[in-house]
Amino acid sequence: MKPLSPTDQLFLWLEKRQQPMHVGGLQIFSFPEDAPDDYVARLAEQLRKDTQVTAPFNLRLDSRLAQPVWVHDEHLDLEHHFRFEALPTPGRIRELLAFVSAEHSHLMDRERPLWEFHLIEGLGDRQFAVYVKVHHSLVDGISAMRMTQKMLSSDPSKRNMPPVWDMAVRQGQSGGRSSPSLWQSISHLLGESGKQLGTVPAVARELLRSVNKARKDPVYNSMFHAPRSVLNRKITGSRRFAAQSYCLKRIKAVCHGYNATVNDVVTAMCASALRTYLMNLDALPEKPLIAMVPVSLRKYQKSGEDQAEGNHVGVILANLHTDESHAGERLRKIHQGIQEAKERYAHMSPEEILNYTALTLAPACFHLLTGMVPKWQTFNVVISNVPGPKETSYWNGAKLEGMYPVSIAMDRMALNMTLTSYNDQVEFGLIGCRRTLPSLQRMLDYLEDGLVELEQDMAS
């Protein structure tokens, strides 16, 4: 049994029909060179034999002492979670993205472990795809990426590789969990409560420091500085997913020219794309947009504390400076703001940062749930960067051609911009409400335009 952290619980509280709270990933593979035409069907038969399901994929929600917890599911039905499907003809990327858009719109059954694995055939050019979705209360982006990477290999000749739900068994770990007694449960919950209470002084200190700085510096990002925007209207349950790859070498060249990080540059690309998209809708706010940028806390953890399940992320509220017309100056300002936020976290523990995050996002969550306080607009969009494999990867001999994150759109947060790195590529995945954000796919071109602007400014 494992209690959910405050951050994990938020993802459960926020979920409703038009607002599924699961994250996902789309991977596109090429057949091995010697593979027969029915390679994907044979792969499906192989995967069906992997009936052992290990943590966190064997966990379902339950409640102990009025607190949600994860418990081992004794009656897991693998056929419900693993699905072998085919795209309609002509099997283009357009059909694949439409499939992901539709599947990502559907809620999952909370009486079962909250994950699905879709093996998809029918793509042209001897390719197939894998789409996986997992509830965000169960994993964060970093842990999801780590589990995906465990499924892959840099060896193209390796075969009989297990699926992501059967990783721990192959590594000699136990897939089951013993059921704790009532007193063990109480002790565990009290221990967790004590850990949370111990963070109060540091969290209160940082909140007070943020409030005081916001009073003195109008540019500083407090929890109420985001403008009202079309991005922050109520949404429907229908999603549009758009994805594209960009060259990592180009982005790193811009990093070198501006003495910035990759995360700074991709954030600036997103800011440029948002500025152009909203200008074309005649809907760009006068005040700059604010992005919620998740940052991994795993580097702050002590040795042995890292776990696959749960969320280990803090949040930076990044000013995107969309009121700035000059691309280079916009990047410099974004870099400065993100550095200041990271310095604030440098002297805090992971538990303190998690609780600081929960408190600073509390107004946003209340507004997202009710819409009653539009002035409590904490951020306008989510921009998340999850590192991926640094070398060419394979799964049962099939070459991984691209991997695209599929995240969460919400009421009053109609767009989520998530990206990951793979080999020499940066893979963007945009998810949004189809009605609120028309022609969302055009933003892929605007991301490219934003990178070109930075390259041209650097060269001049």
Side-chain angles (χ1 to χ4, degrees):
M1 184 202 71
K2 176 181 173 61
L4 280 71
S5 73
T7 304
D8 296 341
Q9 292 182 47
L10 283 177
F11 296 118
L12 296 177
W13 296 337
L14 289 170
E15 187 164 62
K16 47 190 173 182
R17 173 60 197 93
Q18 74 272 25
Q19 191 168 281
M21 297 301 295
H22 48 252
V23 292
L26 172 66
Q27 294 90 41
I28 300 177
F29 295 90
S30 291
F31 285 23
E33 291 185 1
D34 58 348
D37 291 340
D38 64 347
Y39 169 78
V40 187
R42 295 187 183 188
L43 180 59
E45 287 301 313
Q46 174 187 331
L47 295 177
R48 289 192 181 102
K49 297 176 182 178
D50 279 294
T51 57
Q52 179 68 47
V53 182
T54 57
F57 296 98
N58 60 355
L59 305 179
R60 64 171 177 83
L61 282 171
D62 204 344
S63 178
R64 296 288 190 277
L65 304 177
Q67 178 170 342
V69 296
W70 296 115
V71 297
H72 179 246
D73 187 355
E74 301 289 349
H75 306 287
L76 189 145
D77 179 9
L78 185 59
E79 290 186 5
H80 171 80
H81 299 277
F82 170 61
R83 306 177 187 184
F84 178 38
E85 296 165 294
L87 293 178
T89 55
R92 300 165 298 181
I93 294 298
R94 177 184 298 180
E95 281 73 40
L96 177 60
L97 296 181
F99 172 88
V100 173
S101 299
E103 287 295 332
H104 208 67
S105 303
H106 299 157
L107 290 170
M108 290 187 286
D109 182 359
R110 289 196 181 187
E111 296 299 316
R112 304 173 183 266
L114 296 173
W115 63 275
E116 295 175 8
F117 186 104
H118 298 256
L119 179 64
I120 307 164
E121 68 174 357
L123 272 174
D125 299 324
R126 287 172 60 82
Q127 292 185 329
F128 69 96
V130 170
Y131 162 66
V132 181
K133 68 178 183 182
V134 187
H135 202 278
H136 208 341
S137 61
L138 187 61
V139 297
D140 64 34
I142 298 293
S143 56
M145 177 58 69
R146 289 186 176 183
M147 287 186 286
T148 299
Q149 288 185 253
K150 287 181 181 179
M151 193 180 78
L152 303 172
S153 172
S154 59
D155 182 2
S157 64
K158 193 171 182 179
R159 297 293 189 274
N160 298 316
M161 298 172 65
V164 68
W165 67 77
D166 194 13
M167 290 289 113
V169 169
R170 301 304 179 100
Q171 295 172 354
Q173 301 174 6
S174 173
R177 294 188 178 196
S178 59
S179 300
S181 68
L182 175 61
W183 289 111
Q184 287 174 320
S185 301
I186 292 174
S187 299
H188 188 84
L189 291 173
L190 289 176
E192 288 294 311
S193 299
K195 183 185 294 185
Q196 302 301 330
L197 288 172
T199 68
V200 169
V203 171
R205 182 178 61 248
E206 289 304 320
L207 284 174
L208 182 61
R209 183 181 301 173
S210 296
V211 170
N212 289 334
K213 187 169 183 179
R215 289 174 178 173
K216 299 175 183 178
D217 184 0
V219 179
Y220 180 75
N221 299 328
S222 78
M223 62 184 73
F224 305 119
H225 273 200
R228 299 183 69 176
S229 164
V230 298
L231 299 172
N232 310 117
R233 295 175 177 171
K234 293 193 70 174
I235 65 172
T236 69
S238 182
R239 299 288 176 266
R240 183 186 295 276
F241 177 60
Q244 191 160 304
S245 300
Y246 300 84
C247 179
L248 181 58
K249 291 182 180 179
R250 292 176 60 195
I251 292 173
K252 286 187 174 181
V254 173
C255 293
H256 180 74
Y258 287 92
N259 192 28
T261 67
V262 170
N263 198 52
D264 295 334
V265 174
V266 296
T267 302
M269 289 172 61
C270 292
S272 178
L274 286 165
R275 174 180 164 86
T276 302
Y277 179 82
L278 293 177
M279 286 179 64
N280 289 342
L281 293 179
D282 195 23
L284 180 66
E286 291 184 6
K287 292 178 62 178
L289 298 174
I290 304 297
M292 186 186 86
V293 181
V295 292
S296 174
L297 304 182
R298 297 176 189 276
K299 65 181 179 180
Y300 302 112
Q301 290 177 319
K302 296 178 182 179
S303 176
E305 287 186 344
D306 192 23
Q307 299 179 19
E309 67 266 23
N311 286 271
H312 301 264
V313 293
V315 163
I316 288 174
L317 297 178
N319 190 323
L320 297 182
H321 298 281
T322 47
D323 56 337
E324 171 62 61
S325 60
H326 189 274
E329 187 61 27
R330 190 184 310 125
L331 171 57
R332 294 184 186 95
K333 290 179 178 179
I334 288 172
H335 169 74
Q336 180 180 356
I338 291 178
Q339 286 301 113
E340 289 177 356
K342 288 181 177 179
E343 289 169 4
R344 181 188 312 130
Y345 285 165
H347 58 277
M348 298 173 69
S349 71
E351 291 81 11
E352 290 167 349
I353 299 172
L354 281 172
N355 287 338
Y356 177 83
T357 293
L359 285 174
T360 55
L361 294 185
C365 292
F366 183 77
H367 175 54
L368 289 170
L369 280 168
T370 67
M372 294 173 60
V373 280
K375 292 184 179 180
W376 288 12
Q377 189 69 53
T378 305
F379 54 89
N380 304 105
V381 65
V382 173
I383 301 175
S384 183
N385 183 5
V386 181
K390 296 182 179 180
E391 57 186 354
T392 302
S393 299
Y394 301 85
W395 184 42
N396 290 297
K399 181 182 178 182
L400 178 64
E401 301 290 352
M403 55 190 313
Y404 306 94
V406 194
S407 196
I408 298 171
M410 301 172 59
D411 259 348
R412 304 172 187 90
M413 194 191 74
L415 175 66
N416 189 303
M417 311 175 79
T418 307
L419 56 135
T420 189
S421 55
Y422 168 54
N423 204 359
D424 59 353
Q425 302 169 174
V426 174
E427 320 273 44
F428 276 80
L430 311 182
I431 191 79
C433 172
R434 297 177 69 94
R435 185 182 68 183
T436 308
L437 302 176
S439 304
L440 174 64
Q441 67 276 9
R442 293 179 182 173
M443 208 171 291
L444 298 175
D445 295 329
Y446 302 153
L447 286 166
E448 170 66 20
D449 294 341
L451 181 56
V452 169
E453 280 186 310
L454 290 170
E455 291 172 329
Q456 291 176 343
D457 180 72
M458 185 176 60
S460 61

